Amino acid sequence: MESRLDYIFAALADPTRRDILVTLLEDDMAVTDVAEPFEMSLAAISKHLGILRRAGLISQEQRGRVKWCKLEPDAMRDASIWMQSFGQFEAVNLDAFEKFLSREMPLIQGRSET
Amino acid sequence: MESRLDYIFAALADPTRRDILVTLLEDDMAVTDVAEPFEMSLAAISKHLGILRRAGLISQEQRGRVKWCKLEPDAMRDASIWMQSFGQFEAVNLDAFEKFLSREMPLIQGRSET
DNA sequence: ATAATGGTCAACCAAATGGTTGAATATAAC
DNA sequence: GTTATATTCAACCATTTGGTTGACCATTAT
């Protein structure tokens, strides 16, 4: 009875994996490129990517000897919806959203206008 | 460098804890009452509640020998916002929301009109 | 005063996590 | 054909997690 939510929330609970997701916002990437900024073995990153894939948060496609990783943001939908059901807070408070973005994820500032 | 998100997502990754949160949507409750529907020792539930409290998702207040548990939905805000930043999907798709609710959380159907 | 209730603590256990290394595999390049 | 690159696999390790049980501490009830 392992819920999909189990996998998604578990995947998101690790900061390395959240960083990977943020990185992948920019573009699809090979495993090696995903791993580059982290002070951690390639094998470790490979495991993290496996967990993200199990959760459906990314997909991977083999092309030649390189495996491309692609963000699958739709997978976050169910989890996001689940959380919103507790939404005593306004559905999306854009002010808070922007403040949070600049605080936590300065790298992707440009994205806040999506 | 333990992020608040670590605790929140980790807390949400367990189905028992998500069930507890859903239960607490209904009303504040004593630990024993929270535990009642679960086939699990009181001590186990007590631990789960500790993890939810660490994440800020609930608060607890001792009154006499009874410890009351209260949902703190605001704590989900940062996590929810974080997820929305990946929102390739429309901020809140209400159709999907309702369908998801009736599928996953029939108990709180009445809430979908909040 | 004694007994029952509400809850946590401590010790323990099995399984899962997050990391490491070194070997292995497959593709690409020279 | 040999070498280098991209990635995973397997074995291992320490720590965390999710659960148990039994003792313990308060508070309430008799």
Side-chain angles (χ1 to χ4, degrees):
Chain A
M1 271 280 284
E2 298 261 314
S3 162
R4 174 155 209 72
L5 289 178
D6 288 17
Y7 291 133
I8 295 181
F9 284 129
L12 294 177
D14 184 277
T16 300
R17 288 192 292 264
R18 289 198 307 274
D19 280 352
I20 290 176
L21 291 177
V22 170
T23 302
L24 286 177
L25 268 176
E26 228 174 295
D27 210 351
D28 299 1
M29 267 181 221
V31 173
T32 309
D33 296 330
V34 171
E36 198 269 329
F38 297 95
E39 294 180 336
M40 186 182 305
S41 71
L42 191 59
I45 296 294
S46 180
K47 277 193 192 177
H48 280 304
L49 289 170
I51 290 171
L52 289 170
R53 182 158 32 81
R54 181 182 69 172
L57 291 165
I58 66 167
S59 59
Q60 295 182 298
E61 185 196 350
Q62 192 86 37
R63 272 208 302 271
R65 70 180 159 181
V66 23
K67 187 177 251 174
W68 292 88
C69 306
K70 180 175 173 354
L71 188 62
E72 295 289 348
D74 274 4
M76 245 174 281
R77 171 175 228 136
D78 276 6
S80 184
I81 285 174
W82 189 91
M83 295 184 75
Q84 304 239 346
S85 72
F86 289 88
Q88 313 307 47
F89 51 89
E90 326 76 296
V92 185
N93 177 329
L94 280 197
D95 268 10
F97 183 21
E98 298 252 39
K99 258 167 57 188
F100 181 83
L101 267 191
S102 55
R103 202 172 75 241
E104 297 287 321
M105 322 203 308
L107 348 180
I108 59 161
Q109 261 313 282
R111 202 168 186 81
S112 54
E113 49 186 355
T114 312
Chain B
M1 270 280 284
E2 298 260 315
S3 163
R4 172 156 210 73
L5 289 177
D6 287 18
Y7 290 134
I8 295 181
F9 283 129
L12 294 176
D14 184 275
T16 300
R17 288 192 292 264
R18 287 198 308 274
D19 281 352
I20 291 177
L21 291 177
V22 170
T23 302
L24 286 176
L25 268 176
E26 227 173 296
D27 209 353
D28 298 1
M29 266 182 221
V31 173
T32 309
D33 297 328
V34 171
E36 198 269 328
F38 297 95
E39 293 181 336
M40 188 182 303
S41 71
L42 188 59
I45 296 294
S46 180
K47 278 193 193 178
H48 280 304
L49 289 170
I51 290 171
L52 289 170
R53 182 159 30 82
R54 182 183 69 173
L57 291 164
I58 67 166
S59 59
Q60 295 183 297
E61 185 197 351
Q62 191 86 38
R63 275 210 299 272
R65 70 179 160 181
V66 166
K67 186 177 252 174
W68 292 89
C69 306
K70 180 174 172 357
L71 187 62
E72 295 289 349
D74 274 5
M76 245 175 280
R77 171 176 228 136
D78 275 5
S80 183
I81 285 173
W82 189 90
M83 295 183 76
Q84 303 237 349
S85 73
F86 290 89
Q88 312 307 47
F89 54 88
E90 327 74 296
V92 184
N93 177 330
L94 279 197
D95 266 10
F97 184 22
E98 298 251 39
K99 257 167 57 187
F100 181 83
L101 267 190
S102 55
R103 202 171 75 240
E104 298 288 321
M105 322 204 310
L107 347 179
I108 60 161
Q109 260 313 281
R111 202 169 185 81
S112 55
E113 50 185 353
T114 313

